[in-house]
Amino acid sequence: MAMRLSHPLRPSSLSQFQFRPKSLSTCKFSIQNRISNSDNSRKLVMEVKEKLEKDQHSLPVGRNGRDDEDMILWFLKDRKFSVEGAVAKLTKAIKWRQEFGVSELHEESVRIVAETGKGYVHDFLDVNDRPVLIVVASKHFPAMQDPIEDEKLCVFLIEKALSKLPAGKEEILGIIDLRGFGTENADLKFLTFLFDVFYYYYPRRLGQVLFVEAPFVFKPIWQLVKPLLKSYASLARFCSMETVRKEYFTEETFPASFRD
């Protein structure tokens, strides 16, 4: 037997099932806007590339060179898409890489200083899929160790961490383990070098830096170095090892050296 609706469906009842032109228009605009932004970014990349070729022709080419379009785009983002700003910062960064010998750094070249255990790249990513660079401050003795070798190890580890970035990820996590830290481990020069390297040569690559279990003796040192860190000071977080375990890793990926 056929059933009869007591109340016929009205147009307003069906409106929730209808596609609305406004939504389609908004979606279309969003897609066009992304395409436009992409085209504009591409145009700016080519503009920077051409200026570098014309004004800094002696700079190397290839990966991390003056014609590396991915690197150019990254520095454009850092300089808020200012062509002049990106050119200036890129020129400085590429010259530094050349003079420092970044491309010549490898496991064997930093083996002796790496064996101190003062710094390493963790085998696992954190919960946000970021490579993790760990510094063990209690194993750093600036009065007894070559500062140049320390700087080479630092840059090598940054390069190694960046090479582990998953697709679509852009930042790494830094952890400075301050357990057992004493005045003999204090090194304002190296700490300033570390943040300068990120600011000038690896901009926007450091997502956060954790100062773990900072003792009282570290506080005056931080007050001295904080003004030198520029905007990177805002990335610092002082926390406990328990916070690191709960908020940044799973039980399987938590660094073994942090379990002591």
Side-chain angles (χ1 to χ4, degrees), residues 115-119 136-141 145 177 179-180 185 257:
E115 286 176 349
T116 64
K118 67 171 65 180
V136 184
S138 64
K139 295 182 179 181
H140 179 64
F141 298 94
Q145 297 161 344
D177 181 0
R179 293 175 300 169
N185 307 121
S257 63

Side-chain angles (χ1 to χ4, degrees), residues 61-120:
V61 296
R63 186 172 180 271
N64 294 315
R66 61 174 170 79
D67 63 344
D68 185 331
E69 295 183 7
D70 290 336
M71 186 180 185
I72 292 173
L73 179 59
W74 189 259
F75 275 73
L76 272 168
K77 290 178 181 178
D78 175 64
R79 296 292 88 190
K80 298 179 179 169
F81 291 94
S82 162
V83 170
E84 294 299 329
V87 168
K89 197 163 185 177
L90 266 168
T91 300
K92 182 175 181 177
I94 296 171
K95 285 182 177 179
W96 170 81
R97 293 183 67 89
Q98 197 173 26
E99 293 166 1
F100 195 87
V102 177
S103 63
E104 298 168 10
L105 297 175
H106 50 82
E107 295 281 354
E108 185 58 30
S109 68
V110 298
R111 179 179 57 81
I112 295 177
V113 65
E115 286 176 349
T116 64
K118 67 171 65 180
Y120 61 95

